[in-house]
Amino acid sequence: MSDTQPNLSAAMSPSKLDSIGEASISCSQQENGFINSFSLFSEKAVDELLQSPVQGTDEHLIEFSEAMRTVAKALRRAAEGKASAQAEAAEWRRKYELERARNLQLEPKEQLPGQHGDDAIIENLINQNNKANGKFLNCCGRNGICSHEVLRDGEPDSDSKMVRKASFKLSWCCKGEQSDQHKHDIVSFERGNITTAERSSKQISLKWESDPQTVLVMTKPNSISVRILCTEMVRWLREQKNMKIYVEPRVREELLTESSYFNFVQTWKDAKEVLLLHTKVDLVVTLGGDGTVLWAASMFKGPVPPVVPFSLGSLGFMTPFHTENYRECLNQVLKGPISITLRHRLQCLVIRDAAKNEYETEEPILVLNEVTIDRGISSYLTNLECYCDNSFVTCVQGDGLILSTTSGSTAYSLAAGGSMVHPQVPGILFTPICPHSLSFRPLILPEHVTLRVQVPYNSRGHAWASFDGKDRKQLAAGDALVCSMAPWPVPTACQVDSTGDFLRSIHEGLHWNLRKTQSFDGPRES
Ligand SMILES: NC(=O)c1ccc[n+]([C@@H]2O[C@H](COP(=O)([O-])OP(=O)(O)OC[C@H]3O[C@@H](n4cnc5c(N)ncnc54)[C@H](O)[C@@H]3O)[C@@H](O)[C@H]2O)c1
Ligand SMILES: Nc1ncnc2c1ncn2[C@@H]1O[C@H](COP(=O)(O)OP(=O)(O)OP(=O)(O)O)[C@@H](O)[C@H]1O
């Protein structure tokens, strides 16, 4: 110590020095990334030191004390900052643990002996499919749907790292939320009033809770323009948005013939991997027409990530996005919030007469448009016995029957004389094809029913079932098709909103009720 420096120890009593030692905060270890390699004097200790009578006070000592006070203040601020950062980190950790626990609850609980990993998950998916929609309601409550309910955490990927899907929240957008029009009660026993339940006809909004990171791009085959756009979009998503990209094996090959640059693009090897796609993909982009949306939906036998359909087809009922400004559209979707349409699907089971019990069925098939039971190549009238929740409905004699979703109401069902229905309306359309009866009008049934269409034993010919216009299956006498609403809808992004997009598609796609307006010839004399 130089002569000019004050001897602080000499100026203070030993007890004072002890008190400073006790009050010092040691932050030499690393906690949550914060490193402090020095001991801090607390401001309180410095205050105490300055207030105590110090013998032999001189100017240097006062200056030194002031400096100490300033240093103590600065250090206190640093300590406060650190404490608040630690609290924030703890809060994030708590949120993470909570979400992890929730996801674990959704993991398959019972693993049968001999079933491991993927097999158990696939089995569980099928079981989930077979369960009632009740599970959805557990989490959704009344005002929102959590993505944990729809999409679970990813499986370990090839690098053995956990792939974490972006989480999002769906909520009802309701203009008159505050008004009396939107009662939550179905029946009020106290006052004896019956009011309507809130159903899915409201606009749904999707808000990302974490950034989407993985996108699956699905494309219509054999189209040069689609191929060019796909190449450009994949490059943009990678370079500008830093996204992981999945494509079909065919598309990966196409991209690699363009350039080895596209080596980063991922795909799948087999059907098992396809079944796990929903755990890896945050978003699906389709490039094509309605058929490509149907194709993309058919890839997901369970939950479906949000789908952004770009129009490169002729009609585009389900493809509201234009390709010219795909960058702006995708920017908006990735940022959110976006309006979405939850398109209901039908779950179809073929039950063979030869099956020993009802459970010995083939794999359930999910359709977004419709299942059709028709006469196929047979020249005989189809003869189909139809039941709704075990009540006899009718016997269809004609070319066949369409069981359609409301999204499919503008497709084959429309051509067969069915009504057009807003896609958010929960219902099943029952539309005959060329019935040989003057009075067979189409029906719309509520969403909760189970329909059974049976080929009677005395039928002259076989019937054929087809699913969204694909995968024909022959139904022999005694075979039946059982159909009910599937628990997993297809969430498609809207350009405007569900209603705006629906009306635009029937105006532009079908020229619905297009008629020249009558001229105004002046008021008529009565
Ligand atoms: N007579 C008919 O109208 C008829 C006959 C067979 C199949 N289809 C429909 O074709 C669908 C399969 O479509 P695809 O593109 O794979 O086959 P596809 O190439 O034969 O196209 C059928 C047409 O139906 C349109 N379409 C599909 N889904 C629609 C929807 N939800 N609303 C309005 N139009 C829609 C498509 O844009 C396309 O123009 C089937 O699900 C069925 O609904 C219609
Ligand atoms: N990724 C795909 N892989 C295999 N087939 C596909 C795929 N995407 C679409 N398809 C099939 O290709 C056909 C045409 O697709 P899509 O309907 O999208 O185009 P489009 O016929 O040009 O459009 P639109 O139906 O509006 O006229 C459909 O039968 C569809 O099932």
Side-chain angles (χ1 to χ4, degrees):
M1 199 171 286
S2 75
D3 293 345
T4 49
Q5 272 183 334
N7 186 342
L8 191 61
S9 318
M12 282 189 276
S13 65
S15 66
K16 277 291 164 214
L17 278 173
D18 281 346
S19 91
I20 291 175
E22 274 166 30
S24 71
I25 308 162
S26 176
C27 295
S28 53
Q29 346 71 314
Q30 182 170 349
E31 283 171 63
N32 298 319
F34 289 83
I35 308 168
N36 288 330
S37 55
F38 41 81
S39 294
L40 309 181
F41 286 106
S42 82
E43 214 186 348
K44 187 168 162 258
V46 175
D47 275 341
E48 275 177 24
L49 167 68
L50 295 175
Q51 275 154 28
S52 65
V54 180
Q55 285 148 21
T57 322
D58 60 25
E59 254 176 52
H60 288 299
L61 189 53
I62 293 170
E63 227 172 75
F64 181 71
S65 308
E66 284 302 319
M68 285 286 286
R69 195 200 289 272
T70 314
V71 169
K73 259 189 195 161
L75 292 176
R76 190 192 55 168
R77 271 201 294 274
E80 279 171 356
K82 183 186 164 196
S84 94
Q86 277 174 335
E88 199 179 325
E91 177 59 13
W92 278 110
R93 200 165 42 229
R94 193 187 63 79
K95 278 186 184 163
Y96 169 77
E97 296 295 351
L98 210 65
E99 194 172 319
R100 189 86 207 103
R102 261 196 227 132
N103 287 330
L104 279 174
Q105 270 178 4
L106 290 170
E107 288 296 330
K109 289 214 173 76
E110 292 160 49
Q111 191 157 314
L112 301 176
Q115 264 187 335
H116 301 288
D118 291 357
D119 283 347
I121 292 169
I122 292 160
E123 184 69 34
N124 189 50
L125 248 182
I126 293 162
N127 290 339
Q128 282 170 352
N129 256 349
N130 293 338
K131 279 183 194 157
N133 304 6
K135 198 173 171 209
F136 238 120
L137 298 172
N138 288 344
C139 179
C140 312
R142 279 176 174 164
N143 299 315
I145 299 172
C146 298
S147 63
H148 326 292
E149 193 71 5
V150 186
L151 306 159
R152 289 174 309 152
D153 257 355
E155 296 305 299
D157 68 6
S158 49
D159 303 321
S160 313
K161 277 185 248 144
M162 280 304 280
V163 180
R164 201 159 169 76
K165 272 175 63 78
S167 76
F168 56 80
K169 192 172 178 188
L170 303 184
S171 50
W172 315 130
C173 306
C174 180
K175 281 179 194 143
E177 189 71 17
Q178 307 303 327
S179 85
D180 275 355
Q181 283 175 321
H182 298 281
K183 295 257 161 102
H184 286 269
D185 301 342
I186 302 170
V187 181
S188 166
F189 289 105
E190 269 174 39
R191 279 167 287 157
N193 296 328
I194 298 174
T195 56
T196 49
E198 292 187 83
R199 302 300 313 194
S200 53
S201 48
K202 278 192 203 165
Q203 181 57 57
I204 294 161
S205 166
L206 179 150
K207 193 174 173 199
W208 297 105
E209 288 182 328
S210 56
D211 289 339
Q213 290 166 7
T214 309
V215 63
L216 164 64
V217 182
M218 301 215 55
T219 62
K220 169 172 86 173
N222 310 320
S223 161
I224 300 288
S225 54
V226 167
R227 202 168 152 168
I228 293 171
L229 179 67
C230 174
T231 312
E232 198 185 310
M233 191 183 273
V234 166
R235 192 186 282 272
W236 182 79
L237 283 167
R238 174 70 174 188
E239 290 176 2
Q240 304 298 318
K241 300 283 148 191
N242 198 24
M243 307 237 6
K244 283 193 205 145
I245 292 148
Y246 275 86
V247 294
E248 292 169 272
R250 163 186 57 85
V251 180
R252 187 168 194 274
E253 268 176 35
E254 285 171 7
L255 288 169
L256 285 175
T257 49
E258 300 271 333
S259 160
S260 58
Y261 164 83
F262 292 104
N263 240 322
F264 62 85
V265 171
Q266 301 183 55
T267 189
W268 50 87
K269 282 190 231 88
D270 50 32
K272 255 188 180 179
E273 285 191 36
V274 172
L275 278 176
L276 295 174
L277 258 188
H278 74 279
T279 62
K280 298 174 180 162
V281 169
D282 292 320
L283 203 65
V284 181
V285 168
T286 65
L287 307 179
D290 294 318
T292 311
V293 178
L294 296 175
W295 186 269
S298 72
M299 301 268 303
F300 295 90
K301 315 287 179 207
V304 192
V307 180
V308 187
F310 283 92
S311 166
L312 284 118
S314 63
L315 254 189
F317 265 75
M318 295 187 280
T319 58
F321 292 96
H322 301 298
T323 54
E324 305 84 62
N325 52 349
Y326 76 86
R327 292 183 191 85
E328 290 82 45
C329 295
L330 287 177
N331 271 330
Q332 177 56 41
V333 169
L334 294 173
K335 190 167 140 248
I338 49 165
S339 294
I340 61 162
T341 302
L342 278 190
R343 295 183 181 274
H344 303 287
R345 291 198 284 181
L346 295 175
Q347 181 170 271
C348 311
L349 281 170
V350 172
I351 298 172
R352 300 289 174 191
D353 184 42
K356 292 188 187 61
N357 58 53
E358 291 252 331
Y359 303 103
E360 199 183 309
T361 59
E362 293 167 19
E363 284 264 290
I365 300 174
L366 297 175
V367 292
L368 175 52
N369 266 353
E370 76 284 290
V371 52
T372 305
I373 305 109
D374 61 26
R375 63 190 173 85
I377 53 167
S378 163
S379 48
Y380 295 116
L381 279 183
T382 48
N383 186 358
L384 303 170
E385 282 172 8
C386 305
Y387 300 84
C388 176
D389 286 341
N390 297 325
S391 299
F392 178 70
V393 180
T394 192
C395 191
V396 176
Q397 293 183 93
D399 278 0
L401 174 71
I402 300 167
L403 300 178
S404 170
T405 62
T406 45
S407 285
S409 71
T410 44
Y412 196 2
S413 170
L414 173 75
S419 183
M420 292 192 288
V421 189
H422 189 299
Q424 292 273 120
V425 175
I428 303 177
L429 281 78
F430 183 96
T431 313
I433 310 169
C434 299
H436 198 236
S437 134
L438 293 177
S439 55
F440 197 166
R441 295 297 178 96
L443 295 179
I444 301 178
L445 296 162
E447 113 253 38
H448 57 79
V449 299
T450 299
L451 292 159
R452 184 182 176 100
V453 180
Q454 178 123 22
V455 182
Y457 289 103
N458 62 0
S459 172
R460 288 190 181 181
H462 290 156
W464 293 82
S466 65
F467 307 88
D468 283 344
K470 302 239 178 315
D471 303 331
R472 280 192 158 257
K473 283 184 182 228
Q474 197 182 46
L475 301 180
D479 291 350
L481 182 124
V482 175
C483 176
S484 58
M485 195 74 94
W488 309 112
V490 179
T492 57
C494 302
Q495 168 73 267
V496 182
D497 56 35
S498 210
T499 305
D501 286 9
F502 172 65
L503 293 176
R504 182 205 55 83
S505 64
I506 62 170
H507 286 140
E508 290 177 14
L510 294 174
H511 308 296
W512 180 61
N513 195 24
L514 196 66
R515 183 195 186 278
K516 280 192 174 172
T517 312
Q518 272 192 326
S519 61
F520 177 67
D521 293 335
R524 297 243 169 100
E525 283 168 23
S526 53

